[in-house]
Structure formats: structure tokens, C-alpha cells
Amino acid sequence: NEQVSLLATAVVGPKISAANIKKEVAGKRSGDAQTFIRQLPGVTSAKVYLSPFWVGSVPTNPGKVTVIISKAH
């Protein structure tokens, strides 16, 4: 049972859709998902946490993906 959490830190700017992020990163490897998220307008950093540790890519089932968007301090 694999799970993934994505964390994006953004400055004030365009609205970022968690549902869109889930759709766009589905099946991508961790590094590719981070790169995609970092390229979104207003995003200053992104981290992808996969669990268990041997999972190499984001699940294709959006129900297994958690997206957390936080504002830069």
C-alpha cells in the first residue's frame, strides 16, 4: 500500500490546484514530480515524500496522493 505526500511552498500568486498537481504528477518518478511542481508559477520549493521508501514513483490513483500547499514565510 503505497502513499505519497507532495509539499509545495509558494509565494502569493496564481492559485495552485492540488487536484491538478495530482493529475500531472501521477506515475512520475519522485525527482520528475518535484521538477514539475517547482516550475509552477509562484512555487519556491517542492518536496516529494514516498512511502514505503522503496516506492520509486507517484501512484496513479489520486486517492493515494496528498498535496500540501503552504505559503512562504
Side-chain angles (χ1 to χ4, degrees):
N1 190 12
E2 64 232 18
Q3 294 288 326
V4 66
S5 293
L6 310 170
L7 173 63
T9 303
V11 294
V12 175
K15 184 177 179 190
I16 298 173
S17 166
N20 187 49
I21 290 174
K22 288 180 182 185
K23 184 177 90 175
E24 292 295 329
V25 300
K28 290 186 188 247
R29 302 209 46 83
S30 175
D32 295 337
Q34 282 185 175
T35 299
F36 170 80
I37 296 167
R38 284 186 186 129
Q39 293 175 350
L40 294 173
V43 172
T44 57
S45 69
K47 295 180 183 172
V48 175
Y49 302 97
L50 300 174
S51 178
F53 68 89
W54 63 80
V55 174
S57 60
V58 177
T60 55
N61 178 349
K64 294 185 175 187
V65 178
T66 302
V67 175
I68 302 167
I69 299 170
S70 64
K71 294 182 181 176
H73 300 347

